[in-house]
Amino acid sequence: MAEILTLREAVQRFVNDGDTVALEGFTHLIPTAAGHEIIRQGKKELTLVRMTPDLVYDQLIGAGCAKKLIFSWGGNPGVGSLHRLRDAVEKQWPHALEIEEHSHADLANAYVAGASGLPFAVLRAYAGSDLPKVNPLIKPITCPFTGEKLVAVPSVRPDVTVIHAQKADRKGNVLVQGILGVQKEAVLAAKRAIVTVEEIVDDLNAPMNACVLPTWALSAVCVVPGGAHPSYAHGYSERDNRFYQAWDPIARGRESFTAWIDTYIRGTADFSEFQAKLAAQQEANQ
């Protein structure tokens, strides 16, 4: 059953060094605040999983929290490369990073298999692709009924999944609205799950066929308004396009990146203080 905790308490209790951690969200509802708190608390040796790692994973990798990345695409959306990810892979800074690359369909099915309690996922994929040459976990199999050639991949079962959502009720049930990625599957596949939300309400007023994550599937619910910034939260906040653009020069150099992390993440007590400091800096630059 979900407990309503501060984000600091949730990360302290449920994210351990060496864990496999998935921070999922697609286009919006990216759990940035939780990523920042993991950096603040100095968690290390993490295996990070995400279908589309973007800025928050660049920050986690550059801050030295990750030993491995399992992913299916990585970049700064609409801008370019993730420079801290590239530096870790190409030049082992701040230390070496192991990578395990999959296709979108592969990783999505791996989450579904994990949520279903299955050891692997089966899919039709990779015809003409070189990914199986660099990822030995992509295995060809033959259907025992039809003889069809298929592919199997290990299921994804995180120790901890973290997502952001619009709201929770006081029992810890969570409503996710707007574009969905694999948040539901990633939560159900995990041993523990943390959800940051915009607000807690008396009644979710969930429309028919809405995505509602039940309290029994979650470990903690944390109120963090704006916790998806710079991505947006449908119905609550807009995408901060300027930040995505500004991140490129910040992350390009080791010194500028480290200074930013020390000032805005390690140098703030929580995400609210981060937001205030960032807003003051953006206003000063106008």
Side-chain angles (χ1 to χ4, degrees), residues 42 46 65 75-76 79 103 153 165 230 243 266:
L46 302 178
C65 298
N76 183 342
V79 179
S103 71
V153 293
F243 188 87
R266 296 190 180 113

Side-chain angles (χ1 to χ4, degrees), residues 197-211:
V197 295
E198 296 289 329
E199 61 175 337
I200 290 181
V201 296
D202 293 326
D203 192 327
L204 291 179
N205 292 316
M208 187 176 293
N209 297 323
C211 180

Side-chain angles (χ1 to χ4, degrees), residues 122-127 139-152:
V122 178
L123 63 153
R124 292 186 181 92
Y126 292 118
K139 301 284 190 181
I141 62 169
T142 301
C143 174
F145 304 105
T146 67
E148 184 179 2
K149 301 300 182 182
L150 301 168
V151 169

Side-chain angles (χ1 to χ4, degrees), residues 43 64 108-110 142 151 209 224 255-256:
K43 304 295 182 178
N109 276 277
T142 301
V151 169
N209 297 323
V224 188
E255 290 184 2
S256 58

Side-chain angles (χ1 to χ4, degrees), residues 83-269:
H83 301 296
R84 295 302 94 219
L85 168 58
R86 290 193 65 150
D87 205 8
V89 172
E90 295 175 355
K91 299 180 181 178
Q92 295 76 55
W93 190 92
H95 50 69
L97 180 73
E98 182 184 351
I99 59 172
E100 181 184 311
E101 188 173 1
H102 299 260
S103 71
H104 278 345
D106 170 342
L107 202 48
N109 276 277
Y111 273 124
V112 172
S116 304
L118 297 172
F120 62 89
V122 178
L123 63 153
R124 292 186 181 92
Y126 292 118
S129 171
D130 285 336
L131 266 179
K133 297 178 182 178
V134 297
N135 185 348
L137 296 177
I138 300 169
K139 301 284 190 181
I141 62 169
T142 301
C143 174
F145 304 105
T146 67
E148 184 179 2
K149 301 300 182 182
L150 301 168
V151 169
V153 293
S155 60
V156 172
R157 294 176 171 177
D159 294 303
V160 191
T161 287
V162 187
I163 67 169
H164 188 74
Q166 280 89 351
K167 53 188 175 181
D169 66 21
R170 302 192 188 283
K171 295 179 180 179
N173 302 297
V174 168
L175 175 65
V176 187
Q177 293 178 290
I179 299 171
L180 294 178
V182 291
Q183 293 101 309
K184 175 182 70 175
E185 293 80 5
V187 164
L188 296 177
K191 298 174 184 175
R192 304 179 295 278
I194 299 169
V195 184
T196 56
V197 295
E198 296 289 329
E199 61 175 337
I200 290 181
V201 296
D202 293 326
D203 192 327
L204 291 179
N205 292 316
M208 187 176 293
N209 297 323
C211 180
V212 177
L213 296 171
T215 182
W216 53 260
L218 310 175
S219 305
V221 171
C222 315
V223 181
V224 188
H229 179 274
S231 73
Y232 70 98
H234 177 75
Y236 286 81
S237 62
E238 295 182 352
R239 189 179 194 268
D240 187 352
N241 292 312
R242 290 187 304 164
F243 188 87
Y244 285 93
Q245 295 168 337
W247 183 249
D248 188 77
I250 291 168
R252 192 174 288 273
R254 296 175 184 177
E255 290 184 2
S256 58
F257 168 81
T258 302
W260 190 92
I261 290 289
D262 287 344
T263 299
Y264 291 99
I265 298 183
R266 296 190 180 113
T268 56

